[in-house]
Amino acid sequence: MKDIRSQFEKNGFVVLEDFFQPEEIDELKSCGEEFTTNLPPENERKVFNTIELQQNKDKYFLDSGNKISVFFETEALDDNGKLKVHPRVSLNKVGHALHWLHPTFKKYTFDERVKEAAFQLDYQEPAICQSMYIYKNPGIGSEVIMHQDATYLYTEPVKLVGFWIALEDATQENGCLWIAPGSHKSGVHRRYVRNKDPESKELLVYDRAAPCYQLSNFRPVPVNKGTCILIHGQVVHFSHPNKNDKSRHAYTFHVIETQHTSYSKENWLQPPPGGFPKLYRN
């Protein structure tokens, strides 16, 4: 894990193989699968989609920062919230406070290996601001558009890193990450903020249009189960829809620096009353 900082600063991401052991990964994955056995009632089911952005209008999403909330794939539900697919492959993700409210996810998020990685990246007083279990189900696992994480979790100055942990092999066929190396050096291209217009139905809005990125700048980052990808808050990345017959489960969480940085009050996700939990102190 030594010398990850120079690679991180050069490329905007670092691949750490065998970050967690197979049996640790299986423990995380079985917890993720448990969520699919106890789904919310039909009238409370919400979808998450980075293209149609239904969540912009949705208080359920806005309030999910300090809870464990489940979000369905668009193609999994009919108009009445009835499942069109097997429950096991119906969820898009679960978020956003797994790292704090779920004992297993908490154990691994605050693991010594995570603390060491943050330390190597020169984080003085890091805090965990959000976490997600991502399913990327076979056949209906939706695309995630090209984006920077700092669009959603903006700090001034930007000091944000995503830990993306593969709970299954991530391949080009089942929707691995694609990253544009070096793209973190061009600032934050747009922000996703709370809407100041009280009349609007849109609770959350982008402050400007989506930038156009050239696909030729991206490269696929297929990884084996147990790998952790550290993702700079400004590096541009995306994933294709999963048209394969294999799922691509991942657990991901985001770490911000709290020393000499300010967390934007415009961000969709706001800290709980006691502040975001500090990585080194928990």
Side-chain angles (χ1 to χ4, degrees), residues 5 8-9 118 121-124 150 153-161 232-234 255-259 261:
R5 190 174 161 194
F8 188 74
E9 287 173 357
L121 294 178
D122 198 31
Y123 276 71
Q124 308 295 312
L153 302 167
Y154 185 75
T155 65
E156 186 74 53
V158 173
K159 185 111 192 218
L160 165 73
V161 57
H232 190 291
Q234 288 178 190
V255 175
I256 55 166
E257 176 65 271
T258 61
Q259 285 276 19
T261 63

Side-chain angles (χ1 to χ4, degrees), residues 45-251:
R45 293 176 179 173
K46 304 291 182 183
V47 301
F48 182 85
N49 183 305
T50 67
I51 298 164
E52 288 153 25
L53 298 168
Q54 175 56 40
Q55 60 274 12
N56 287 9
K57 304 180 181 66
D58 224 331
K59 202 150 170 11
Y60 182 82
F61 178 76
L62 198 61
D63 293 343
S64 67
N66 305 311
K67 297 180 182 161
I68 295 177
S69 305
V70 302
F71 298 90
F72 288 82
E73 291 286 6
T74 312
E75 292 180 43
L77 301 178
D78 70 12
D79 293 342
N80 302 315
K82 284 197 164 47
L83 284 181
K84 298 196 288 186
V85 297
H86 194 282
R88 277 197 63 160
V89 294
S90 63
L91 293 182
N92 173 291
K93 69 176 189 177
V94 176
H96 289 91
L98 287 168
H99 61 281
W100 196 242
L101 300 177
H102 188 291
T104 304
F105 290 103
K106 184 176 183 179
K107 174 174 76 171
Y108 288 112
T109 309
F110 290 87
D111 184 90
E112 288 305 318
R113 289 161 285 189
V114 173
K115 294 176 182 180
E116 177 63 21
F119 180 75
Q120 293 294 337
L121 294 178
D122 198 31
Y123 276 71
Q124 308 295 312
E125 186 66 282
I128 313 276
C129 56
Q130 69 148 14
S131 50
M132 295 179 286
Y133 190 100
I134 300 168
Y135 293 86
K136 201 80 164 179
N137 287 305
I140 62 167
S142 51
E143 172 188 356
V144 174
I145 60 164
M146 295 172 181
H147 70 283
Q148 300 169 297
D149 292 340
T151 289
Y152 306 93
L153 302 167
Y154 185 75
T155 65
E156 186 74 53
V158 173
K159 185 111 192 218
L160 165 73
V161 57
F163 283 69
W164 190 96
I165 296 158
L167 304 182
E168 298 179 297
D169 293 348
T171 64
Q172 285 198 55
E173 291 69 44
N174 71 1
C176 71
L177 293 181
W178 287 65
I179 302 179
S183 57
H184 60 299
K185 294 175 181 167
S186 58
V188 177
H189 305 154
R190 66 171 175 166
R191 301 267 313 279
Y192 184 63
V193 295
R194 290 173 175 244
N195 194 351
K196 294 190 174 74
D197 177 1
E199 304 301 308
S200 173
K201 286 198 171 70
E202 302 275 328
L203 303 173
L204 298 160
V205 289
Y206 286 103
D207 67 349
R208 63 199 97 144
C212 286
Y213 299 113
Q214 285 217 275
L215 193 55
S216 58
N217 292 335
F218 292 81
R219 68 177 184 82
V221 187
V223 293
N224 294 330
K225 162 182 163 176
T227 301
C228 174
I229 306 176
L230 301 176
I231 302 171
H232 190 291
Q234 288 178 190
V235 85
V236 185
H237 58 289
F238 77 95
S239 64
H240 287 297
N242 182 2
K243 297 301 179 196
N244 194 256
D245 59 359
K246 291 189 170 67
S247 58
R248 192 225 68 187
H249 290 205
Y251 175 55

